[in-house]
Amino acid sequence: MIHNRTRPDRGRSVLGPALQLVHTGRAPTRAVLTAELGVTRATAGAVAAELQGLGLITVDSRPAGSAAGSQGRPSHRLAVEPNGPVVLAAQVHADGFRAALVSLGGTIVATTPGCGDVDADPVHVLRAVVEEGAGLLRRTGRRCVGAGLAVPSAVAEPEGTALNPLHVPWPPGAPVRAVFSQCLAEAGISGPEPGSIAVGHAANDVNLGALAEHRHGAGRGAQHLLCVATGHRGVGGALVLDGRLHAGSSGLALEVGHLTVDPQGRPCHCGGRGCLDVETDPLALLEAAGREAGPEVSLLDQARDLLRTAHPGDPAVREAVHRLIDRLGLGLAGLVNILNPDRIILGGLHRELLRADEERLRAVVAERSLWGRSGAVPVLACTLDHNSLVGAAEMAWQPVLDDPLLLQEA
């Protein structure tokens, strides 16, 4: 290991970037790591060895085979340590909550089934979330190095308050970050430094889903990535610019759910009419198809089941899908005109609508966007299951990604 004070400054300064490259799959071999970091082969080897010593990555001593006809020595394989530490990730939504343990690489190691009953007191809900996560940690025996929370609301910075959680019964301005941290402390959930208690991180669920997709999913490699998604209720958006999540001056950017797509449409919770939030979410699909939403299964699952079992054979369902696709396409076109992304990814029910009639959605976006006819923006489905959970984990992992030596024993 090379974490003593005599280690060259250059090697120390690239430890975090090296871990991020392995974490996101961009450095599968030591040769690639050397090139990406711009260091000598010896320095890259020392850095990889240190990350291995910290229990974060594996370095395969059997070199990866080179392609036929290639020159040079085959390189060692690098991968995330499969039995390494994890973070506790949680998501609260209109139909309940879920807790999970997530390792480096965005891999969900263990998860609870979805739990219901989000009541009006965020303390009750977040305490239950943390208790579920603590149970996962006990059962798996994994070391926890942080915790992150995804919520269906804009989260103001730096206060960490959920400003307007329309789809859960919490009061406006609920101090979700402080409450989450308090619950973690009560449960003794550990943080990255040995002997420390985890500090809770909290952010908007769609923002976190976009971050996860950019690092591990359909958004990988995009420079200007727009994500639009509908989960259990409502619609959210997120923008990743030059690899960084754009949250605005105080964490409130990209509230795309309140973009008007039908001035004569449904009344919205915000006081307007015809917003994406109420024109393209699961409840909108069920009602447009003449189906009554039931209480026993989440709205998102009900909408997915309807698409799977009745589309395109049922005319009412087919017409409802067309209606939602047209509204969604109109909203996406407006966002393309303003933001000029190089890729759009769709999550939740929007992902299912894209798969149901990809040609129609692309045509609406192309027709209504300024540049659509000359160079259509790719519109892709999100590829990660539970991407908001993975994004919550990314927040919790970030201190370690910035400084892996936090995990070092004194």
Side-chain angles (χ1 to χ4, degrees), residues 15-27:
L15 201 61
L19 181 59
Q20 294 193 50
L21 287 166
V22 179
H23 169 61
T24 55
R26 291 178 291 155

Side-chain angles (χ1 to χ4, degrees), residues 63-87:
S66 56
S70 64
Q71 302 296 316
R73 188 191 315 174
S75 184
H76 290 67
R77 296 184 182 94
L78 305 179
V80 167
E81 169 55 65
N83 298 311
V86 296
V87 296

Side-chain angles (χ1 to χ4, degrees), residues 40 68 84 156 204 218 241 280-281 396:
T40 66
N204 171 260
L241 298 176
T280 67
D281 79 342

Side-chain angles (χ1 to χ4, degrees), residues 57-238:
I57 72 169
T58 62
V59 181
D60 194 334
S61 59
R62 296 165 299 173
S66 56
S70 64
Q71 302 296 316
R73 188 191 315 174
S75 184
H76 290 67
R77 296 184 182 94
L78 305 179
V80 167
E81 169 55 65
N83 298 311
V86 296
V87 296
L88 168 60
Q91 181 181 12
V92 176
H93 52 73
D95 292 318
F97 63 84
R98 184 184 294 270
L101 305 182
V102 184
S103 69
L104 282 170
T107 300
I108 296 178
V109 172
T111 183
T112 61
C115 305
D117 300 326
V118 176
D119 66 24
D121 187 348
V123 175
H124 293 164
V125 178
L126 297 184
R127 186 170 287 139
V129 165
V130 171
E131 287 174 357
E132 292 286 342
L136 292 176
L137 289 168
R138 287 192 298 272
R139 290 192 291 275
T140 61
R142 301 292 280 263
R143 177 187 176 186
C144 183
V145 297
L149 172 69
V151 295
S153 168
V155 176
E157 296 294 346
E159 304 92 333
T161 55
L163 283 189
N164 196 15
L166 294 174
H167 301 296
V168 292
W170 294 347
V176 290
R177 185 176 299 151
V179 170
F180 187 43
S181 293
Q182 173 191 333
C183 294
L184 293 168
E186 291 172 355
I189 304 296
S190 57
E193 297 174 278
S196 67
I197 294 296
V199 174
H201 301 269
N204 171 260
D205 51 4
V206 178
N207 277 358
L208 295 176
L211 180 63
E213 292 285 346
H214 187 265
R215 291 185 177 180
H216 305 291
R220 187 180 293 178
Q223 289 298 306
H224 305 293
L225 175 68
L226 172 64
C227 175
V228 177
T230 177
H232 297 260
R233 286 296 309 274
V235 175

Side-chain angles (χ1 to χ4, degrees), residues 93-96 231-232 282 286 293-305:
H93 52 73
D95 292 318
H232 297 260
L286 294 169
E296 65 285 348
V297 180
S298 78
L299 292 172
L300 180 58
D301 287 341
Q302 291 176 65
R304 284 172 171 162
D305 288 345

Side-chain angles (χ1 to χ4, degrees), residues 346-367:
L346 301 179
L349 180 63
H350 292 168
R351 176 172 68 172
E352 312 307 325
L353 292 173
L354 175 66
R355 291 169 173 168
D357 198 337
E358 182 175 335
E359 183 177 344
R360 186 182 185 101
L361 180 59
R362 291 182 187 278
V364 175
V365 175
E367 179 182 354

